[in-house]
Amino acid sequence: LTKSTGLRTDGKIDERSFWINYVSSLSAPLAIPLVYPRMLAIHDLDSKEDEESVIPSFLPLSSEHISDDGVYLLEN
């Protein structure tokens, strides 16, 4: 939360005001990625024809869950 533009004290007041105004009108599912982004590993997706969804589970945002040869999608 302290890295968010609207909650930092060292940012410009205009940027903080815009961020707070923008976030206050969002629903909870849309506001969560602003506070805690989600990351997916897309390098090991399996294309299975019998299943409807091939979306993997979300990974924790830490370096121990990232490999050098992987490709990741970060939703923020």
Side-chain angles (χ1 to χ4, degrees):
L1 286 174
T2 59
K3 293 182 179 181
S4 300
T5 304
L7 302 177
R8 291 193 336 225
T9 57
D10 60 346
K12 295 179 182 176
I13 191 68
D14 292 339
E15 293 173 358
R16 292 177 60 202
S17 298
F18 173 78
W19 190 87
I20 291 171
N21 188 32
Y22 175 72
V23 172
S24 65
S25 64
L26 291 177
S27 63
L30 292 176
I32 289 172
L34 290 174
V35 177
Y36 188 76
R38 297 182 286 188
M39 184 171 60
L40 296 166
I42 59 174
H43 59 273
D44 59 352
L45 292 177
D46 295 336
S47 59
K48 298 178 182 176
E49 295 178 10
D50 57 341
E51 293 184 21
E52 291 182 21
S53 177
V54 294
I55 298 175
S57 60
F58 297 109
L59 297 173
L61 298 178
S62 64
S63 61
E64 57 195 31
H65 293 93
I66 297 175
S67 63
D68 291 336
D69 59 346
V71 178
Y72 301 92
L73 176 69
L74 181 65
E75 175 195 20
N76 62 359

